[in-house]
Amino acid sequence: QVQLVESGGGLVQAGGSLRLSCAASGIIFSTYTMGWYRQAPGKQRELVADITSGGATNYADSVKGRFTISRDNAKNTEYLQMDSLKPEDTAVYYCHAARTIGYWGQGTQVTVSS
């Protein structure tokens, strides 16, 4: 059974930082491309960042220079370090694991107050 469990969300003031974690089980973690997506109220889910099994990273233009995605294959965990947060970053953040098929976590709420 595949499980992706996010943690680290919360309420933070604009300009602050949060670190999200996603612990994976039931998959060969090191072989998956891992990603973070977000969905704000009334908007479509969008890619925030992803990292391949080889460590290559990709970021949405809106978060480049502020967010950093990383992974620890020994711990089956991916991370999203979010700095210089803005109110427009407010959303539910979802962990995603992709190979031939994809899996989603349950999401964690991030709220940035102005």
Side-chain angles (χ1 to χ4, degrees):
Q1 181 183 359
V2 178
Q3 282 193 313
L4 301 175
V5 180
E6 301 100 333
S7 60
L11 173 64
V12 64
Q13 287 189 331
S17 298
L18 284 174
R19 189 194 196 203
L20 305 183
S21 299
C22 172
S25 59
I27 59 173
I28 304 174
F29 181 82
S30 63
T31 66
Y32 278 70
T33 290
M34 298 300 298
W36 290 97
Y37 288 72
R38 67 186 181 187
Q39 188 167 18
K43 294 188 177 181
Q44 289 189 328
R45 193 172 297 190
E46 62 176 2
L47 174 68
V48 176
D50 60 22
I51 182 167
T52 68
S53 57
T57 58
N58 174 54
Y59 295 92
D61 287 343
S62 59
V63 307
K64 281 181 182 176
R66 299 188 298 122
F67 291 10
T68 304
I69 190 171
S70 60
R71 64 191 297 160
D72 185 336
N73 290 337
K75 295 183 178 180
N76 288 355
T77 301
E78 71 157 344
Y79 305 97
L80 185 68
Q81 178 66 42
M82 305 186 293
D83 299 319
S84 302
L85 282 160
K86 303 176 181 180
E88 51 263 44
D89 295 318
T90 295
V92 178
Y93 283 70
Y94 296 90
C95 174
H96 185 253
R99 203 171 66 176
T100 52
I101 57 175
Y103 301 97
W104 292 97
Q106 81 287 351
T108 186
Q109 177 70 46
V110 171
T111 302
V112 184
S113 63
S114 57

